[in-house]
Amino acid sequence: MEPPGAGGINSSECENVSRKMEMSEELEANTMDSLVDMPFATIDVKDDCGITDVPQINLERSEGNEWLSKDQIKKKKKKHKDYQPNYFLSIPITNKEVTRGIKILQNAIIQQDKRLSKAMTNDGSFHVTLLVMQLLNDDEINIGIDALLELKPCIEDILQGKYLTLPFQGIDTFENQVGFVKLAEGDHINPLLEIAEAAKRTFQEKGILAGESRSFKPHLTFMKLSKAPWLRKKGVKKIDPKLYEKFISHRFGEEMVHRIDLCSMTKKKQSNGYYHCESSIVIGKRPIGIRDLINEALHQERMGLKAKVKQIKELLFKPETQAKIRRELFEGRSINHSNQGNDVDFSDTLT
């Protein structure tokens, strides 16, 4: 008999290997579970949004007609590699006719394969993604909110006082992994594409990493296999077209665009199932509701606070204000020339 350690594996080692494999699978499952509610994680970034991975870096000549160095290429690749969208602009789908039609579709699929119930998009979170972006901290979130507010007049210029109505008809998939309701063809396509491009430009001009490489493809997701990664182990590796063949040309109804939200992919969802919303803008003509009034009031309050902060900063920058503050701070003290370097420089503090 060959002794342990001489090329063979004893029963104890087999148990250790088996235990490590089980731990690895459990860790993978837990990781996936934490991502399933993110609309654009892993394959969702590519398929649920209708976009590809981040733009590829090519070896091309720069403006100075010089080949990019390897270090430059590595830096560019690292910048794009680190880009993981965690926020998005959402057009919420609130028309009961549309949402009811999607629920009928989902139930019809589940009746054929009950395992797919875990792959369905939850109630309340139906939406059309306009733009994805990365916001890493509160400062960047505030910049994103400002960009959204600046986007509103751009959208109004595009729409010219008209309604923007999105009709949904038919079913399609992204590589048989993400099922979505298609946006029907019509005159609404061009203004929607213009709005998406204006959003991308507005956010990028603010220094925000936003958008992807492939052209914008609006759609309404109703299921995605990545929500239930264990399905693959059960043999479900793609969405069978036979499951939705009766709905292939079905008319689901129309959604009048009335609001665009800046939503988080990672923060806890609202009680109604919709994503955590940082800010919203009201679009087009629509009867004013309580939510619209609240958003408008918050907008006005935010603009007022920003104006006051700006006034305070301008006041503190004035030499006479700084001199007065110094006098009050150091009144009654004898300040030698050697200690004058300790004076407060408010221009450095405030910039």
Side-chain angles (χ1 to χ4, degrees):
M1 177 180 291
E2 190 176 79
I9 300 177
N10 59 29
S11 59
S12 177
E13 290 174 330
C14 287
E15 290 178 2
N16 289 336
V17 171
S18 177
R19 192 178 300 110
K20 288 180 180 179
M21 290 178 66
E22 290 176 359
M23 291 176 63
S24 177
E25 290 179 357
E26 183 180 357
L27 177 61
E28 180 184 358
N30 291 338
T31 302
M32 291 303 298
D33 288 342
S34 67
L35 294 174
V36 294
D37 286 331
M38 296 173 62
F40 316 115
T42 58
I43 191 169
D44 305 330
V45 174
K46 178 179 179 182
D47 295 328
D48 189 28
C49 296
I51 50 181
T52 59
D53 295 332
V54 293
Q56 297 296 314
I57 304 300
N58 296 321
L59 262 177
E60 296 180 351
R61 291 183 182 272
S62 63
E63 293 181 0
N65 202 32
E66 296 290 339
W67 289 104
L68 294 175
S69 68
K70 291 183 179 180
D71 289 340
Q72 289 175 313
I73 296 171
K74 286 181 180 179
K75 287 180 181 179
K76 287 192 174 185
K77 284 185 177 180
K78 184 178 186 304
K79 179 180 179 181
H80 289 289
K81 183 180 179 180
D82 293 341
Y83 174 53
Q84 176 63 54
N86 61 339
Y87 274 82
F88 65 106
L89 292 185
S90 166
I91 298 175
I93 304 301
T94 58
N95 185 348
K96 296 297 182 183
E97 179 187 1
V98 178
T99 58
R100 184 166 52 248
I102 295 175
K103 291 301 298 179
I104 293 173
L105 164 65
Q106 291 177 326
N107 290 332
I109 293 175
I110 294 171
Q111 286 178 3
Q112 299 174 71
D113 191 339
K114 290 182 172 56
R115 297 174 299 177
L116 295 175
S117 62
K118 298 299 183 180
M120 297 300 168
T121 301
N122 299 327
D123 292 351
S125 60
F126 296 129
H127 69 280
V128 173
T129 300
L130 198 61
L131 180 71
V132 297
M133 69 198 71
Q134 179 177 271
L135 304 175
L136 298 178
N137 50 52
D138 289 343
D139 289 339
E140 291 188 2
I141 291 173
N142 287 330
I143 294 173
I145 293 173
D146 289 340
L148 178 62
L149 297 177
E150 289 183 15
L151 180 61
K152 182 173 180 176
C154 297
I155 296 176
E156 291 174 346
D157 288 342
I158 293 171
L159 296 180
Q160 294 292 304
K162 298 179 182 178
Y163 296 100
L164 178 59
T165 303
L166 306 180
F168 294 98
Q169 180 180 5
I171 304 295
D172 202 352
T173 69
F174 291 123
E175 299 181 0
N176 294 316
Q177 298 296 309
V178 176
F180 62 89
V181 178
K182 296 193 296 184
L183 186 65
E185 296 295 328
D187 296 337
H188 54 278
I189 295 293
N190 284 337
L192 182 61
L193 295 178
E194 288 184 43
I195 291 173
E197 184 59 33
K200 183 177 180 179
R201 182 175 61 253
T202 301
F203 277 78
Q204 288 182 345
E205 287 177 354
K206 290 280 190 178
I208 294 173
L209 286 174
E212 296 288 347
S213 59
R214 196 163 71 187
S215 58
F216 172 61
K217 184 177 181 178
H219 61 280
L220 203 176
T221 299
F222 66 87
M223 71 176 294
K224 46 192 175 184
L225 296 184
S226 63
K227 285 177 66 67
W230 52 267
L231 285 172
R232 180 169 291 273
K233 296 180 180 179
K234 299 292 185 179
V236 182
K237 297 182 179 180
K238 65 179 183 178
I239 301 172
D240 189 343
K242 292 181 180 179
L243 294 171
Y244 55 82
E245 61 182 356
K246 293 182 180 180
F247 295 84
I248 201 70
S249 300
H250 181 76
R251 293 179 180 272
F252 289 86
E254 300 179 342
E255 176 73 29
M256 184 181 296
V257 179
H258 67 280
R259 201 177 81 231
I260 295 177
D261 302 322
L262 176 61
C263 295
S264 169
M265 301 181 190
T266 58
K267 293 183 179 179
K268 184 179 179 180
K269 289 185 177 182
Q270 301 178 37
S271 58
N272 62 0
Y274 191 61
Y275 297 94
H276 174 86
C277 183
E278 299 288 353
S279 184
S280 304
I281 55 174
V282 178
I283 301 299
K285 300 176 180 178
R286 178 182 173 89
I288 297 177
I290 294 177
R291 182 185 178 91
D292 298 334
L293 291 173
I294 292 174
N295 285 333
E296 186 62 26
L298 291 173
H299 177 207
Q300 295 298 331
E301 182 179 358
R302 178 180 175 81
M303 292 298 100
L305 288 173
K306 287 184 68 177
K308 290 180 180 179
V309 170
K310 184 178 179 181
Q311 290 176 356
I312 293 172
K313 283 187 175 182
E314 290 175 350
L315 181 64
L316 290 175
F317 273 123
K318 292 182 178 180
E320 56 269 28
T321 303
Q322 295 184 18
K324 184 176 181 180
I325 292 175
R326 288 193 185 98
R327 284 197 302 270
E328 292 182 358
L329 286 174
F330 302 111
E331 186 177 11
R333 299 181 183 181
S334 176
I335 303 176
N336 298 323
H337 290 289
S338 59
N339 294 329
Q340 288 179 353
N342 295 327
D343 285 354
V344 178
D345 188 348
F346 291 95
S347 61
D348 290 338
T349 305
L350 295 171
T351 53

